[in-house]
Amino acid sequence: MTKALLIDVTKCTGCRGCQVACKQWNELPGEKTSVSTTWTNPKQLSAYTWTHVDFREVPNGAGHPSWNFVHKRCFHCLEPACVSACPVGALQKTDEVPVTYDVSRCIGCRYCMVACPFDIPKFTWDSAQPVIAKCTFCADRLADGQEPACAKTCTTNAIQFGERDQLIVEAQARIQATPARYVNYIYGKDEAGGTSVMYLSGVPFDRLGFKSDISHEPYPARTWEALSKIPWEVLGVAAVMSGTWWIIQRREKYAAINTSKKAKR
Ligand code: SF4
Ligand code: SF4
Ligand code: SF4
């Protein structure tokens, strides 16, 4: 059974409670922003903003545009391209838990940024030792039997946590019960072979900034095709970093074994 989130854009009031809860739980710093007419603040995802609420005004031709607040973040693909691209296993996927991330293993090669079809992983460019950062699906909370912080805090139940199969049944039931409220599509059910973050909307998804050209086939098979387009200098640096990481890990492993042997003498 796979845990998932169903995000119903028609229920979101744009309160940004999920943004704040994510920052608070993951101890992410605030970012310098400015007021703008987009009603979106911060304007996009970053290494320090793992979820943000996008604002999209969609004209309907009748003089009453629809206002949409869209909670955006990592989709947690069932077969993630980022995981297959990562040379050191910093990104991991199990059947039950969405894509987890171990920052201590990341060597900053940015393969995952190239591989992700949704452009989700971000880089801590301002750090002396830059690494990748993205939504973790609050894997630490899941391990403790809790739901993700963003879902827990949502007062309108626009973000619903549960088993993926059951959430798909729930989404289909909502569309069937109120067809005038929703477009007849569940974004994420099939995209990239299926994702653990799925959406319902009252307007076509491309009007909300969702990519409409995502394949319904899993992306890992395409990963190395994408990576082959990276300039060889970048790959060379990544290979050196990967090798360095392996040597350091090996040294640490043998140092630990030697310490343990000495302690036993
Ligand atoms: S959306 Fe991108 S970063 Fe997230 S799991 Fe899928 S491939 Fe990985
Ligand atoms: S930057 Fe490289 S090492 Fe870090 S998570 Fe992405 S693919 Fe893995
Ligand atoms: S699942 Fe956790 S890390 Fe991901 S957006 Fe929600 S609160 Fe942030």
Side-chain angles (χ1 to χ4, degrees):
M1 300 288 266
T2 300
K3 301 291 183 207
L5 292 169
L6 175 63
I7 297 166
D8 189 333
V9 176
T10 71
K11 288 177 179 250
C12 180
T13 58
C15 71
R16 270 79 175 183
C18 51
Q19 281 187 197
V20 175
C22 181
K23 290 246 180 201
Q24 193 175 31
W25 179 259
N26 295 294
E27 298 181 344
L28 298 169
E31 292 185 271
K32 209 169 195 176
T33 58
S34 56
V35 177
S36 78
T37 51
T38 65
W39 293 73
T40 296
N41 204 348
K43 287 195 178 63
Q44 64 264 318
L45 298 178
S46 75
Y48 307 108
T49 297
W50 296 351
T51 184
H52 85 116
V53 178
D54 197 1
F55 172 66
R56 298 277 170 154
E57 182 173 311
V58 179
N60 65 3
H64 301 289
S66 125
W67 283 15
N68 301 274
F69 297 98
V70 194
H71 170 99
K72 291 193 172 164
R73 36 82 71 72
C74 174
F75 282 86
H76 293 275
C77 308
L78 300 182
E79 294 188 51
C82 57
V83 171
S84 68
C86 182
V88 294
L91 293 153
Q92 298 276 347
K93 173 82 179 80
T94 61
D95 280 349
E96 185 174 335
V97 183
V99 179
T100 58
Y101 174 59
D102 180 353
V103 67
S104 69
R105 297 177 75 95
C106 181
I107 56 171
C109 68
R110 290 180 281 142
Y111 282 10
C112 52
M113 291 177 77
V114 179
C116 174
F118 297 104
D119 303 327
I120 295 297
K122 304 293 181 230
F123 205 49
T124 57
W125 292 101
D126 57 339
S127 164
Q129 289 180 302
V131 289
I132 283 297
K134 72 169 196 71
C135 157
T136 61
F137 209 98
C138 287
D140 51 349
R141 290 176 61 89
L142 258 58
D144 196 35
Q146 298 187 66
E147 62 186 313
C150 51
K152 171 91 177 169
T153 205
C154 183
T155 51
T156 62
N157 205 25
I159 307 172
Q160 190 176 341
F161 173 69
E163 296 294 341
R164 187 173 188 272
D165 292 348
Q166 289 169 11
L167 289 177
I168 290 172
V169 171
E170 164 75 22
Q172 288 165 337
R174 279 187 211 171
I175 292 172
Q176 208 169 15
T178 46
R181 183 182 176 113
Y182 298 105
V183 292
N184 187 13
Y185 195 79
I186 305 167
Y187 193 95
K189 178 174 157 290
D190 299 311
E191 275 70 20
T195 65
S196 289
V197 177
M198 299 174 290
Y199 289 84
L200 285 176
S201 166
V203 299
F205 283 96
D206 59 340
R207 306 304 303 272
L208 301 180
F210 287 83
K211 289 187 170 189
S212 55
D213 59 350
I214 298 290
S215 167
H216 286 192
E217 297 298 320
Y219 271 74
R222 301 162 175 236
T223 299
W224 295 103
E225 184 193 332
L227 291 176
S228 69
K229 297 193 176 95
I230 304 175
W232 67 268
E233 294 92 332
V234 176
L235 291 173
V237 169
V240 169
M241 291 166 88
S242 181
T244 307
W245 180 87
W246 184 80
I247 291 165
I248 291 169
Q249 294 297 308
R250 197 159 164 267
R251 274 192 196 147
E252 285 179 355
K253 184 179 163 193
Y254 286 113
I257 290 170
N258 288 336
T259 308
S260 151
K261 279 181 185 164
K262 278 179 196 160
K264 283 179 189 160
R265 278 180 200 150

